[in-house]
Amino acid sequence: MEGHKVYLLTSLLVLMTFTGRTQSASCCLRYHDIKLPCQRLLGYTIQSMGKSCDINAVIFHLPGWFVCADPSRNWTQRGMRCIDERRRKSRGPKQANMTAAAA
């Protein structure tokens, strides 16, 4: 009987851990109202309502975690623009060099 309880508890713990990580990385269920500085943002993903996702969201990628943000909020849009601008700047000189090398 004692072994059965340990097995059940272990199974429940594994299931909760897997489910929690899967939801946080793949589908936002609610918004977090944490205004994040641009320097900490690594990227973002846009989530659209679908089969398993009940809300539209922007998922900001940070070192080691994700933050779900309301796409209609000004700070969310500023964060997305900041990341987009940083990406454009980092790609600009590389693409120019590749074009010059090909000529």
Side-chain angles (χ1 to χ4, degrees):
M1 183 72 168
E2 192 68 24
H4 179 68
K5 287 181 182 179
V6 171
Y7 175 77
L8 183 62
L9 183 61
T10 304
S11 298
L12 184 60
L13 182 61
V14 168
L15 181 62
M16 286 173 47
T17 302
F18 177 77
T19 302
R21 288 184 181 171
T22 302
Q23 287 178 347
S24 66
S26 64
C27 190
C28 294
L29 303 176
R30 63 186 173 100
Y31 301 126
H32 297 275
D33 199 26
I34 301 170
K35 296 178 183 173
L36 303 162
C38 179
Q39 304 86 332
R40 301 218 35 223
L41 303 175
L42 301 176
Y44 67 88
T45 305
I46 296 175
Q47 169 185 301
S48 299
M49 281 193 284
K51 293 179 188 176
S52 60
C53 300
D54 294 335
I55 60 173
N56 291 323
V58 174
I59 306 170
F60 284 114
H61 309 182
L62 289 94
W65 57 299
F66 301 93
V67 173
C68 301
D70 183 345
S72 66
R73 299 289 301 266
N74 287 335
W75 72 268
T76 303
Q77 294 172 17
R78 278 194 304 270
M80 292 169 61
R81 280 193 302 269
C82 176
I83 293 167
D84 291 342
E85 186 175 320
R86 189 181 326 139
R87 286 179 181 164
R88 273 193 297 275
K89 287 180 181 178
S90 69
R91 290 181 187 159
K94 290 179 186 176
Q95 289 177 346
N97 289 339
M98 289 191 317
T99 304

